[in-house]
């Protein structure tokens, strides 16, 4: 239960849960947190879950917890675990039900003053053109055969079929399509769930925010992303919708019994895993890649309809360009030097963002001098951050950082004593217009339900995992 | 009979029934009620639902997964459930509801998946009790 996990501080930002061999831990846990955040995360099962991840066979280096960590299922949200690709396991729970949930940031050629006067009309138009999915299906009309193409080619298929600009796919992690995707590994029911949902945001914490650049902290990096103070940007947070959720559900059901065959026992059933090299493991990774591609296609479709909405309201001269798109629920095969040895690893990022440093060859050429762009959404009433990956992430966290502010209040607690209209009114007074398909969508995502995003960012910045570039303020929020 | 349970990021419920059949029907009701307001849903159509599992826990997760597939994959909302046959490894029943109509129905929270997180299915003095957490 909360509080019983022993934790010792290494310095003011790094804390260690020692390896407990008697419990079955194969490694220790490193938690990145300030003193205040550490106290907050001890209120739920996050640390126990981070310690459970240390039980997974083939784990290399420590089980890692980012400062936005909160309780998830099996894996904590805000957790990173690297497995030896040849001897380790893959865990669908280490990726999550929302495979390739992620964020993309879009810059506009508008400034705050261009948008503020007509914000209501703009938000209403975006709300109509980018459905959340509770009230109906998306506006992308494709058949089952085309869906297989989407699963194989991701954002690239969308761009080639009229849902975007040529450069869009290039400015996404993995070029908007993971290799090795196989639609045959995705069940028919996952495809049925996904097909009508392409181009929809989803509910829960998913959103689309019209924001402006409030402060620039790193002029060179901001310039490389062509961002300046006062400029309007749009942050899109969505994932693989019902398709990815069903893929995770299907493979968890398969892996439960399969674990017995591979003699794997774990403290939490939700951590179900199989060897990466096993037929089940390989099949999951192909299905996961297909789902990740669906998510990139989904965020691309959303961008396409967003462009239409901006042009309808603000005129044809409005340009929206993708800055970058990052996944924060994914497992990727990457190579890292660990204790002087180059290792072939499968890095599970469950609510964690890849953050490659300057010079890394997997970053688009125009960002190579500054490092990979990383976007950290805060809660709807506060702020979001643009960062760039730094060397520390390669040394300490398998090229990973946090993914958000991290909740610390439950959904039921957030609803208690609050009225959706009042919350909406209060945010409007702060210059933030909110539209949601559901009343609960507003109440459960109130700013107070989250940790302070600035504090989370400070930890990551000071630990040298990523650098602060710009702080973004919301003006219009679309929620599920 | 069911009640909502707290979780930092998501949502759970505790359901009770005098028999396993009642428990499974109540758990399905809880899932439906978390997804949408029940009062506008007419139980005019019957949808057969069945699931298998290696134990009671996975049977419940798979049964709720079937219900969720109808809700999220086929866009149907339910207001009543009936379990006709249940053993440790298999369950069969009917869900009563209708296709989702945005003009009459109000979806509250899209549910991504049914999880094994702190999952409990236990016998009590009054019958059976289950605790289930959903990823939303």
């Amino acid at each position: 239960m909360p509080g019983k996990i022993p934790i010792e501080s290494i310095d003011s930002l790094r804390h260690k849960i020692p390896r407990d061999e008697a419990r079955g831990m194969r490694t220790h846990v490193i938690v990145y947190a300030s003193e205040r955040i550490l106290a907050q995360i001890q209120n739920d099962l996050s640390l126990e879950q981070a310690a459970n991840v240390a039980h997974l066979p083939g784990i290399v280096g420590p089980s890692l917890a980012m400062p936005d960590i909160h309780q998830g299922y099996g894996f904590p949200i805000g957790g990173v675990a690297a497995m030896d690709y040849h001897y380790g396991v893959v865990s669908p729970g280490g990726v999550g039900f929302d495979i390739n949930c992620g964020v993309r940031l879009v810059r506009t050629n508008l400034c705050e003053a261009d948008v503020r006067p007509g914000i209501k009309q703009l938000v209403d138009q975006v709300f109509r053109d980018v459905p959340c999915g509770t009230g109906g299906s998306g506006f992308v009309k494709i058949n089952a055969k085309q869906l297989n193409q989407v699963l194989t080619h991701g954002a690239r298929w969308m761009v080639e079929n009229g849902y975007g600009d040529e450069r869009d796919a290039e400015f996404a992690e993995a070029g908007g399509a993971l290799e090795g995707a196989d639609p045959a590994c995705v069940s028919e029911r996952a495809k049925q769930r996904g097909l009508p949902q392409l181009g929809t945001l989803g509910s829960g914490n998913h959103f689309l925010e019209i924001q402006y650049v409030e402060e620039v902290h790193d002029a060179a990096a901001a310039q490389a992303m062509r961002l300046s103070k006062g400029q309007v940007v749009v942050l899109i947070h969505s994932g693989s919708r019902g398709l990815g959720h069903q893929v995770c559900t299907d493979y968890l059901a398969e892996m439960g019994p399969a674990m017995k065959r591979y003699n794997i026992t774990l403290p939490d059933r939700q951590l179900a895993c199989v060897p990466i090299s096993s037929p089940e493991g390989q099949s999951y990774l192909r299905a996961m890649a297909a789902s990740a591609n669906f998510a990139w296609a989904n965020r691309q479709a959303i961008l396409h309809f967003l462009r239409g909405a901006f042009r309808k309201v603000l005129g044809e001269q409005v340009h929206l360009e993708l800055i970058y798109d990052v996944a924060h629920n994914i497992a990727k095969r990457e190579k890292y030097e660990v204790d002087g040895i180059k290792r072939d690893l499968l890095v599970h990022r469950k609510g964690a963002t890849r953050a490659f440093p300057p010079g890394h060859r997997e970053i688009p050429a125009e960002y190579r001098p500054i490092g990979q762009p990383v976007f950290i959404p805060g809660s709807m009433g506060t702020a979001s951050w643009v960062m760039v990956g730094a060397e520390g992430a390669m040394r300490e966290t398998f090229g990973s950082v946090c993914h958000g502010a991290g909740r610390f209040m439950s959904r039921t607690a957030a609803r208690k004593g609050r009225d959706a209209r009042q919350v909406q009114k209060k945010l409007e007074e702060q210059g933030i217009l909110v539209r949601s398909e559901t009343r609960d969508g507003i109440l459960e995502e109130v700013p107070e339900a989250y940790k302070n995003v600035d504090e989370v960012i400070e930890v990551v910045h000071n630990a040298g995992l990523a650098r602060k570039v710009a702080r973004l303020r919301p003006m219009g929020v679309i929620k599920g | 009979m069911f009640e909502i349970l707290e979780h930092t990021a998501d949502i759970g419920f505790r359901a009770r029934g005098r028999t396993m059949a009642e428990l499974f029907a109540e758990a399905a009701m809880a899932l439906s009620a978390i997804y949408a307001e029940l009062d506008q849903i007419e139980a005019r159509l019957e949808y057969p639902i069945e699931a298998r599992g290696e134990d009671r826990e996975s049977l419940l997760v798979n049964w709720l997964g079937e219900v969720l597939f109808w809700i999220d994959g086929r866009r149907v909302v339910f207001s009543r459930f009936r379990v006709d046959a249940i053993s440790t490894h298999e369950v069969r029943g009917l869900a009563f509801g209708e296709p989702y109509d945005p003009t009459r129905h109000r979806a509250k929270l899209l549910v991504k998946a049914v999880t094994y997180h702190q999952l409990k299915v236990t016998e009590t003095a009054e019958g059976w009790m289950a605790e289930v957490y959903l990823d939303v």
Side-chain angles (χ1 to χ4, degrees):
Chain A
M1 288 321 289
K4 82 171 183 190
I5 297 285
I7 187 155
E8 53 200 48
S9 292
I10 300 168
D11 56 36
S12 61
L13 301 169
R14 294 168 185 81
H15 315 274
K16 181 178 178 177
I17 301 171
R19 177 180 176 188
D20 183 345
E21 268 182 272
R23 241 189 110 201
M25 284 171 74
R26 292 166 198 264
T27 184
H28 59 282
V29 179
I30 299 286
V31 182
Y32 290 83
S34 63
E35 215 169 283
R36 212 170 106 114
I37 289 176
L38 190 62
Q40 281 173 340
I41 61 187
Q42 280 171 319
N43 288 327
D44 65 16
L45 297 173
S46 328
L47 294 180
E48 181 155 341
Q49 290 182 335
N52 287 346
V53 170
H55 292 237
L56 292 172
I59 188 164
V60 174
S63 158
L64 297 159
M66 294 296 145
D68 57 337
I69 187 178
H70 58 267
Q71 178 178 321
Y73 305 113
F75 268 68
I77 298 163
V80 179
M83 307 297 163
D84 184 284
Y85 198 85
H86 305 282
Y87 305 105
V89 293
V90 58
S91 169
V95 172
F97 285 105
D98 199 356
I99 297 167
N100 188 5
C101 182
V103 281
R104 59 172 46 191
L105 186 67
V106 180
R107 66 177 160 249
T108 71
N109 56 343
L110 303 163
C111 66
E112 191 199 343
D114 298 328
V115 173
R116 185 73 80 186
I119 186 75
K120 189 174 177 302
Q121 203 194 343
L122 182 63
V123 167
D124 287 342
Q125 190 65 50
V126 176
F127 191 58
R128 277 194 290 273
D129 293 354
V130 183
C132 299
T134 53
S137 29
F139 296 117
V140 180
K141 299 290 177 237
I142 57 167
N143 58 34
K145 211 175 142 189
Q146 290 168 315
L147 178 63
N148 285 340
Q149 295 289 312
V150 167
L151 296 179
T152 312
H153 303 295
R156 258 177 257 148
W157 190 90
M158 300 305 288
V159 168
E160 282 162 16
N161 287 273
Y163 294 96
D165 296 347
E166 194 42 54
R167 69 183 287 289
D168 289 347
E170 189 191 329
F171 285 86
E173 180 174 334
L178 267 188
E179 282 176 29
D182 184 355
C185 295
V186 176
S187 70
E188 278 311 310
R189 50 177 43 196
K191 290 175 186 173
Q192 278 180 33
R193 266 181 91 173
L195 194 58
Q197 297 179 357
L198 190 57
T200 62
L201 270 177
S203 73
N205 62 356
H206 291 159
F207 65 78
L208 184 155
E209 278 194 3
I210 301 166
Q211 312 170 321
Y212 67 94
V213 179
E214 187 186 41
E215 301 160 1
V216 169
H217 289 257
D218 183 325
Q223 199 183 13
M225 292 184 226
R226 279 177 277 150
L227 280 179
S228 55
K229 193 173 172 174
Q231 187 178 353
V232 170
V233 294
V234 183
L235 190 65
I236 298 164
H237 180 207
S238 186
S240 51
R241 309 289 288 105
L243 185 133
H245 314 341
Q246 190 66 40
V247 163
C248 184
T249 300
D250 293 343
Y251 280 91
L252 277 175
E254 193 184 319
M255 284 185 189
M259 273 175 46
K260 288 186 193 137
R261 288 200 296 279
Y262 297 111
N263 286 323
I264 301 170
T265 47
L266 292 168
D268 183 344
R269 202 165 178 171
Q270 193 69 36
L271 283 174
C273 60
V274 292
I276 294 167
S277 55
S278 67
E280 295 89 348
Q282 285 298 309
S283 177
Y284 168 72
L285 284 173
R286 290 189 192 108
M288 183 209 73
S291 310
N293 294 348
F294 184 85
W296 274 307
N298 188 40
R299 292 197 286 276
Q300 181 59 39
I302 291 169
L303 171 57
H304 174 73
F305 292 112
L306 176 76
R307 282 187 174 125
F310 263 75
R311 285 179 188 149
K312 274 182 222 165
V313 176
L314 295 158
E316 287 300 316
Q317 73 288 1
V318 173
H319 288 291
L320 272 67
E321 284 183 322
L322 181 60
I323 295 178
Y324 201 58
D325 176 308
V326 280
H328 55 224
N329 277 359
I330 203 158
K332 301 275 287 282
R333 187 176 184 175
E334 293 166 1
K335 287 192 166 67
Y336 291 90
E337 202 177 288
V338 183
D339 298 329
I341 302 162
K342 198 127 193 186
R343 307 275 305 247
D344 189 7
L345 303 172
L346 185 71
V347 181
H348 292 66
R349 297 192 179 96
K350 172 74 197 81
T353 314
R354 195 188 71 177
F356 284 163
H360 200 289
R361 62 183 175 84
E362 278 192 46
I363 318 175
E366 60 185 86
Y367 300 142
R368 226 164 275 161
I370 59 163
Q372 179 212 306
V374 171
F375 312 124
I376 310 297
S379 59
M380 64 183 170
T382 55
S384 298
W385 281 87
V386 179
M387 305 187 88
V388 282
E391 275 303 330
M394 294 308 271
R395 281 194 306 268
E396 297 182 33
T397 58
F398 302 105
S400 316
V401 292
C402 61
H403 86 308
R407 288 189 78 94
F408 77 97
M409 196 187 276
S410 74
R411 290 179 181 276
T412 26
R415 273 203 301 266
K416 223 164 273 171
R418 286 192 179 84
D419 173 83
R421 265 187 303 257
Q422 275 173 359
V423 171
Q424 222 164 347
K425 198 168 157 256
K426 199 176 139 196
L427 287 168
E428 253 169 67
E429 284 164 9
Q430 295 166 29
I432 305 163
L433 196 65
V434 184
R435 289 279 178 276
S436 173
E437 276 187 22
T438 62
R439 187 177 56 97
D440 294 359
I442 294 180
L443 285 180
E444 293 176 2
E445 300 289 322
V446 288
E448 301 91 300
Y450 284 81
K451 289 185 207 126
N452 182 336
V453 68
D454 296 343
E455 272 182 51
V456 170
I457 294 301
E458 230 27 69
V459 172
V460 168
H461 179 90
N462 292 335
L465 306 179
R467 288 186 296 117
K468 294 193 278 190
V469 176
R471 191 174 192 267
L472 311 172
R473 267 291 282 172
M475 301 163 73
V477 183
I478 311 264
K479 288 215 58 73
Chain B
M1 200 171 68
F2 63 88
E3 60 197 286
I4 299 299
L5 299 173
E6 308 214 359
H7 177 279
T8 315
D10 292 290
I11 197 161
F13 62 82
R14 182 183 294 125
R16 292 172 203 277
R18 280 167 302 179
T19 59
M20 278 284 277
E22 241 183 62
L23 175 75
F24 272 54
E26 279 303 319
M29 275 303 289
L31 171 61
S32 296
I34 286 169
Y35 179 80
E37 295 288 356
L38 296 178
D39 50 355
Q40 299 295 321
I41 302 169
E42 276 185 60
R44 60 189 174 90
L45 299 172
E46 293 179 13
Y47 300 82
I49 298 194
E50 20 177 300
R52 299 181 63 82
E54 39 167 0
D55 49 32
R56 272 191 200 105
E57 286 76 17
S58 61
L59 186 66
L60 181 61
V61 167
N62 294 345
W63 159 258
L64 293 172
E66 289 298 309
V67 174
L68 179 59
F69 174 69
W70 279 99
I71 293 175
D72 194 54
R74 300 278 179 83
R75 303 193 61 76
V76 179
V77 280
F78 302 114
S79 62
R80 196 157 65 80
F81 292 87
R82 190 181 80 206
V83 171
D84 295 317
I86 187 161
S87 66
T88 314
H89 300 290
E90 204 169 351
V91 54
R92 265 185 302 117
L94 285 176
F96 301 87
E98 57 181 340
Y100 181 80
D101 172 359
T103 63
R104 285 190 298 124
H105 302 136
R106 203 167 71 83
K108 293 191 295 185
L109 193 61
L110 301 182
V111 176
K112 289 177 185 164
V114 183
T115 79
Y116 281 95
H117 174 77
Q118 296 189 320
L119 177 68
K120 273 191 205 128
V121 182
T122 48
E123 209 165 353
T124 64
E126 297 82 32
W128 290 88
M129 187 275 287
E131 288 179 7
V132 181
Y133 286 87
L134 305 171
D135 190 5
V136 298

